[in-house]
Amino acid sequence: DTGVSQNPRHKITKRGQNVTFRCDPISEHNRLYWYRQTLGQGPEFLTYFQNEAQLEKSRLLSDRFSAERPKGSFSTLEIQRTEQGDSAMYLCASSLRTGTGEQFFGPGTRLTVL
Amino acid sequence: GENVEQHPSTLSVQEGDSAVIKCTYSDSASNYFPWYKQELGKRPQLIIDIRSNVGEKKDQRIAVTLNKTAKHFSLHITETQPEDSAVYFCAASGILGSWGKLQFGAGTQVVVTP
């Protein structure tokens, strides 16, 4: 395990479809974060987990978005009834609660909603 | 909530010159300030960070300064090289005993011309 991995790397879907992304954090990291990044902007916080507990969810996050981390390891982010405005890069990051604070990012999943 | 502003949005420098990027934050409770570098099509990677009990930190050609009173922090890159060309993001986080979400600035596109 050399870093955070995300799958798929690219997803093209039609408006109204549901999509699910997966993030595998660095194995010993107990914190996991989801961010969304649109072109020309910095990553925007969506939600984060400590182990399996979802500690915070952005107030900007629509009810169409849901995230899980059932066993405190990998996480999934689901978007229901996708809209064109959901097109973005979805980044996952992980960190160690008692570590330096550095968040290690995955390569992201590029979502395009047609 | 926290709001981070970053300037300039683009910065063009001659190789060998210095580059300075400035950020301001709004939440006086924020106490962790990382800087990430993102090359085109790649994941953000931490290049340096600073905590609120420190005023300045250096790592080779990179330095970060923090002014808690004014709520601003800056990234300084000396002796710039073409490989420094990338988008740089500042971020701020409030830590309550552990490492929390990051609020990012909008980014600075740095172009180093030979």
Side-chain angles (χ1 to χ4, degrees):
Chain A
D1 182 9
T2 57
V4 179
S5 62
Q6 293 185 244
N7 288 287
R9 296 293 307 278
H10 303 275
K11 179 70 177 178
I12 300 174
T13 191
K14 293 181 179 180
R15 188 175 52 188
Q17 297 296 305
N18 299 343
V19 294
T20 300
F21 310 142
R22 176 176 170 132
C23 170
D24 287 89
I26 294 172
S27 58
E28 66 268 26
H29 285 185
N30 45 17
R31 282 216 161 182
L32 186 148
Y33 310 79
W34 286 99
Y35 294 87
R36 176 172 61 192
Q37 186 177 27
T38 54
L39 195 62
Q41 297 297 316
E44 174 190 29
F45 169 77
L46 296 179
T47 188
Y48 79 85
F49 294 83
Q50 181 166 304
N51 300 314
E52 67 276 7
Q54 189 173 18
L55 296 186
E56 188 173 349
K57 185 175 176 180
S58 170
R59 286 170 291 179
L60 301 176
L61 205 59
S62 160
D63 289 343
R64 297 183 295 106
F65 288 71
S66 63
E68 293 183 342
R69 194 183 183 196
K71 297 182 179 180
S73 56
F74 72 92
S75 175
T76 58
L77 177 68
E78 181 183 17
I79 308 174
Q80 296 182 326
R81 305 182 302 282
T82 53
E83 303 172 356
Q84 288 186 325
D86 297 332
S87 295
M89 175 72 83
Y90 289 84
L91 292 165
C92 175
S94 70
S95 72
L96 193 57
R97 182 179 178 276
T98 55
T100 62
E102 179 178 358
Q103 293 185 20
F104 294 81
F105 280 83
T109 295
R110 168 76 64 189
L111 174 65
T112 301
V113 182
L114 302 176
Chain B
E2 176 65 274
N3 182 49
V4 177
E5 295 192 354
Q6 183 172 347
H7 300 279
S9 57
T10 59
L11 182 58
S12 183
V13 296
Q14 291 277 353
E15 182 178 359
D17 288 349
S18 296
V20 180
I21 304 170
K22 298 182 179 181
C23 289
T24 60
Y25 61 99
S26 61
D27 188 350
S28 57
S30 292
N31 51 12
Y32 174 63
F33 307 93
W35 286 87
Y36 282 82
K37 175 182 180 181
Q38 187 174 31
E39 298 177 19
L40 189 63
K42 296 192 175 180
R43 70 190 76 188
Q45 290 195 307
L46 181 76
I47 55 172
I48 195 167
D49 57 14
I50 191 167
R51 289 161 180 76
S52 59
N53 59 346
V54 175
E56 183 176 2
K57 183 178 178 180
K58 289 184 179 180
D59 183 4
Q60 300 183 336
R61 296 186 297 109
I62 295 173
V64 57
T65 59
L66 171 65
N67 183 325
K68 285 181 60 180
T69 302
K71 289 190 280 189
H72 67 71
F73 56 113
S74 300
L75 178 72
H76 304 252
I77 306 174
T78 58
E79 301 173 20
T80 53
Q81 301 168 5
E83 52 265 37
D84 294 330
S85 296
V87 179
Y88 292 80
F89 294 99
C90 63
S93 174
I95 303 168
L96 298 176
S98 57
W99 311 107
K101 66 183 180 185
L102 294 174
Q103 181 70 41
F104 284 86
T108 298
Q109 173 76 62
V110 174
V111 177
V112 180
T113 53

